[in-house]
Amino acid sequence: MNAQLSRFHGWSLFSLLSLLVLVMTALILALNPDLVEAARSAIRATARTSFALFLAAFTASAFAVLVPSSFSKTLVRERRFIGLAFAFSHLVHALLIYTYGQLNPEFWPGRTTVGNIPGSVGYLFIVLMTLTSFKATTRLIGRRAWRTIHVCGMWVLAAVFTYSNFKRIPLSAWYVVPFGIMCAAIAIRVIGKVAQMQKRSHPRAHA
Ligand code: HEM
């Protein structure tokens, strides 16, 4: 896995991950005879690819502190491109939602404004984080604003994933699995942060 990751880095890693999302989406749409159902399946599938990419970016630095390895270090180094691939996967999620709304006129009227709030706030942060993921824009807003947007954004997205999976548990008990994975990822990130702070305050004890 690490060897594969190190062969693809930076924009080539982003392109590979985005291509895989596109191929998966095209296959789902092509293989399902019912286009409406196909769009819905592809919405679910892109939510899952986004979830996997988000988890990698969300836990990368915690893993690098808690279980240092060349793989966790590679994840930290490639975090920006994994994050951009997450944004791409969620762009496809949004395009499919739009398509599904066109194909099924009952979709939008069947949703409430309150029900759309978590996803919309999630998308607002995805846009802000994507726009500020480039050297020029980072320099423009400054390090502090960048940190505020990206730290808040990661926690907002973690909350949206937790909620999105939790609310589906009554529909299928299988949603306990992604819900549990998200809770574990939150615990890993918090423990990683505490360990990082301890390392910084007592550098010799960890030497
Ligand atoms: C207003 C914006 C959004 C709308 C309208 C929306 C709509 C949908 C729809 C229609 C589904 C498929 C439901 C089903 O067939 O059961 C879905 C699945 C999902 N979405 Fe979104 N979504 C939005 C934003 C987001 C965001 C920002 C996230 C995460 C950061 C997210 C995460 C998920 C998850 C985790 C699933 C479940 C996938 C699964 O079945 O495993 N969505 N969304």
Side-chain angles (χ1 to χ4, degrees):
M1 177 76 176
N2 196 27
Q4 261 129 339
L5 253 187
S6 49
R7 204 161 348 124
F8 292 95
H9 53 86
W11 287 112
S12 63
L13 178 64
F14 167 81
S15 307
L16 173 74
L17 294 171
S18 302
L19 185 68
L20 289 175
V21 170
L22 284 180
V23 169
M24 175 197 73
T25 306
L27 282 176
I28 293 171
L29 295 178
L31 296 177
N32 199 324
D34 180 345
L35 190 57
V36 183
E37 264 318 297
R40 187 136 197 163
S41 300
I43 291 174
R44 280 197 294 270
T46 48
R48 290 170 197 178
T49 48
S50 298
F51 185 48
L53 293 164
F54 175 77
L55 285 175
F58 186 71
T59 54
S61 49
F63 276 122
V65 174
L66 298 172
V67 273
S69 66
S70 61
F71 180 66
S72 57
K73 280 178 195 149
T74 306
L75 272 187
V76 171
R77 209 180 46 239
E78 302 298 336
R79 203 171 28 177
R80 178 159 82 98
F81 297 95
I82 295 170
L84 287 170
F86 157 77
F88 180 82
S89 173
H90 238 59
L91 169 68
V92 181
H93 188 68
L95 294 175
L96 288 163
I97 291 166
Y98 172 77
T99 310
Y100 185 70
Q102 298 292 108
L103 294 170
N104 175 9
E106 283 159 29
F107 175 62
W108 288 114
R111 292 183 67 94
T112 61
T113 309
V114 173
N116 284 330
I117 290 175
S120 306
V121 176
Y123 270 113
L124 174 70
F125 273 96
I126 293 171
V127 170
L128 285 175
M129 289 163 85
T130 306
L131 291 177
T132 55
S133 282
F134 302 92
K135 272 191 192 127
T137 44
T138 307
R139 226 177 289 131
L140 194 71
I141 60 167
R143 187 76 204 154
R144 243 178 111 155
W146 182 91
R147 233 190 103 69
T148 307
I149 292 170
H150 284 254
V151 172
C152 287
M154 287 307 251
W155 283 108
V156 165
L157 292 170
V160 177
F161 274 120
T162 309
Y163 170 70
S164 297
N165 287 307
F166 179 74
K167 74 173 183 189
R168 289 181 170 88
I169 294 175
L171 303 175
S172 162
W174 282 108
Y175 283 101
V176 168
V177 175
F179 172 73
I181 292 173
M182 192 62 249
C183 291
I186 290 173
I188 289 165
R189 185 163 162 129
V190 172
I191 295 167
K193 199 38 69 204
V194 173
Q196 200 175 35
M197 277 156 57
Q198 279 181 346
K199 233 180 199 177
R200 277 186 193 144
S201 54
H202 309 286
R204 283 210 184 148
H206 299 271

